[in-house]
Amino acid sequence: MTTVGILGGGQLARMLALSGAPLGLRFLVLDATVDACAAQFVPSLQADYRDEAGLAEFAARVDVATFDFENVPAESARWLAERVPVFPSPRALAVAQDRLAEKTLFRELGIDVPEFTDITSRADLDRAVAAQGVPAILKTRRLGYDGKGQFRLRTLADVDAAWDALGAQAASVGLILEAFIPFEREVSVLAVRARDGEFRTWPLTENWHESGILSASLAPASLPSSLVVEAIGHARRIAEALDYVGVFALELFVSGGRLLANEMAPRVHNSGHWTIEGSETSQFENHLRAVLGLPLGSTRMIGHACMLNWIGDLPSPLPVLAEACGHWHDYGKSARAGRKVGHATLRADTRDALASALRSTGDALGRSAQVAPVLARLAES
Ligand code: AMP
């Protein structure tokens, strides 16, 4: 009996455990909170990621460890890796945790990124804004997610407000100033790399965000094949450079017909939730196969899929369940503003069938605005 340990007990851990059950796997999650949603049906340990006694018990009870949360302290991941196999490696985790290290690596690999500057002081920010210009985004280097730890500078007059908002974090988590990209699209490459180096990707996904949080994903993204090839090549180079094992997502902007890399997530990713019903092997199952050294499953897509995120609270599941191709995911969390509490995936054999299911579901749920950009894309030839 193999037990997979997961650091972090959120919905990603929950969906990993659900996908691992048919493989006969056992799981143990480690999470500091009392109400981690994976712990509703996965054995769990409640301990801080820095609690050595908790980590030691975790290490003793699992055969391999992985992450549902990328901001696990790198030193805890390293400590664990001395006792039990950890995938992705603590080094890959450390790079992906730090926007500066990540963008520097992308650049070294010949992957274009938005112009960026490391900011350690107010004087740095003044110099960088003068050199780079506005609009720009000031971001924390570490611990930012879902649009948190970001401040958008629209004019030069915003520098004071940006520093007031984030300057105090310059010493603790570091800051980076990025050029604001007026992108046409946001896409992600979901990729998996096995322990033996085998590399696969799912069809590219187009993503829409609301207030920095993913709102909807559509797969396959309709992009020129040259950009698809380039995006997959970027993901492969990153995976090989980091000797990466497991699933990761590479988020890219399409701007002026070019790709610019935004960031990578060293774990299964929200933009890949559609793979549960929309592909031969889901991102969750392939992540488990990769970290366990099992053969990878096919990433072939089945038709077309759209995932809608439920942020803050859940709408009624009935309109989704009433669709022949509708799938409902309730994470078992209490409602809270800005919190991901569930998602739905609509899958169909053709773009037209997906558009029609999406339109009726969006109307019935009172979420027409959320589905509108996806419908607009599906209406393009
Ligand atoms: P992040 O946490 O970096 O993924 O940012 C969350 C979202 O904010 C992205 O998915 C984009 O929609 C937006 N965003 C982040 N960085 C930029 C940028 N440099 N230019 C334009 N939009 C951005």
Side-chain angles (χ1 to χ4, degrees):
M1 188 68 70
T2 302
T3 301
V4 178
I6 307 176
L7 293 155
Q11 66 270 19
L12 301 178
R14 189 175 158 113
M15 288 184 271
L16 280 167
L18 282 169
S19 76
L23 298 174
L25 300 173
R26 299 276 172 102
F27 291 87
L28 178 68
V29 299
L30 178 81
D31 197 294
T33 57
V34 273
D35 59 349
C37 74
Q40 288 164 15
F41 60 86
V42 183
S44 66
L45 269 178
Q46 193 195 336
D48 189 87
Y49 299 123
R50 295 180 194 275
D51 170 356
E52 211 167 289
L55 285 175
E57 185 184 344
F58 181 75
R61 288 174 58 186
V62 306
D63 299 295
V64 60
T66 189
F67 307 92
D68 121 310
F69 179 61
E70 75 244 51
N71 289 319
V72 169
E75 56 278 19
S76 302
R78 281 192 288 270
W79 190 91
L80 211 52
E82 286 165 11
R83 288 152 181 90
V84 64
V86 174
F87 298 111
S89 70
R91 175 178 156 246
L93 188 75
V95 171
Q97 278 176 348
D98 180 352
R99 293 184 190 276
L100 184 64
E102 173 179 77
K103 287 198 161 61
T104 305
L105 172 73
F106 293 171
R107 225 179 223 172
E108 283 166 11
L109 295 174
I111 299 169
D112 290 338
V113 291
E115 194 180 349
F116 65 90
T117 311
D118 180 21
I119 305 291
T120 56
S121 65
R122 170 65 203 251
D124 278 354
L125 180 61
D126 288 330
R127 271 192 298 272
V129 170
Q132 274 183 219
V134 283
I137 306 188
L138 184 64
K139 297 182 179 179
T140 57
R141 275 174 57 181
R142 287 181 291 276
L143 300 180
Y145 65 99
D146 284 349
K148 295 189 180 69
Q150 301 196 4
F151 193 98
R152 188 154 157 200
L153 291 90
R154 290 164 212 274
T155 71
L156 292 175
D158 291 334
V159 174
D160 283 336
W163 190 254
D164 285 349
L166 297 176
Q169 297 184 58
S172 53
V173 292
L175 299 173
I176 185 172
L177 185 76
E178 279 181 29
F180 180 83
I181 306 301
F183 54 79
E184 291 111 47
R185 294 176 189 217
E186 285 191 85
V187 297
S188 53
V189 186
L190 275 161
V192 58
R193 188 166 177 272
R195 284 201 202 179
D196 67 3
E198 186 185 356
F199 175 84
R200 295 186 184 205
T201 55
W202 283 264
L204 259 63
T205 304
E206 179 163 3
N207 302 308
W208 289 267
H209 292 82
E210 271 301 321
S211 310
I213 306 180
L214 186 68
S215 166
S217 293
L218 173 68
S222 50
L223 278 191
S225 57
S226 59
L227 287 189
V228 173
V229 170
E230 187 183 339
I232 292 172
H234 288 352
R236 182 189 283 272
R237 283 204 298 288
I238 293 166
E240 286 171 359
L242 294 173
D243 195 14
Y244 195 91
V245 174
V247 165
F248 67 99
L250 174 63
E251 297 181 36
L252 300 156
F253 301 128
V254 182
S255 177
R258 286 171 61 215
L259 293 177
L260 293 170
N262 176 28
E263 63 172 352
M264 71 177 286
R267 51 172 169 74
V268 289
H269 191 249
N270 198 168
S271 69
H273 289 359
W274 63 265
T275 62
I276 297 174
E277 295 90 6
S279 80
E280 187 69 40
T281 316
S282 76
Q283 62 164 347
F284 300 100
E285 181 174 340
N286 258 346
H287 182 71
L288 294 171
R289 291 190 190 206
V291 304
L292 291 166
L294 297 170
L296 298 181
S298 163
T299 51
R300 185 178 68 88
M301 193 164 180
I302 304 163
H304 297 257
C306 174
M307 190 256 358
L308 299 170
N309 253 358
W310 307 135
I311 314 290
D313 56 5
L314 285 173
S316 160
L318 296 180
V320 172
L321 298 178
E323 285 294 334
C325 58
H327 302 275
W328 189 255
H329 296 261
D330 176 342
Y331 304 154
K333 292 177 168 181
S334 52
R336 191 201 300 155
R339 191 179 210 197
K340 293 175 177 171
V341 291
H343 75 268
T345 297
L346 297 177
R347 199 206 63 75
D349 292 336
T350 65
R351 280 167 72 98
D352 286 350
L354 181 63
S356 132
L358 202 52
R359 187 174 300 105
S360 55
T361 309
D363 288 348
L365 291 170
R367 305 276 173 142
S368 309
Q370 189 175 356
V371 304
V374 189
L375 285 175
R377 184 69 76 227
L378 287 168
E380 291 171 6
S381 57

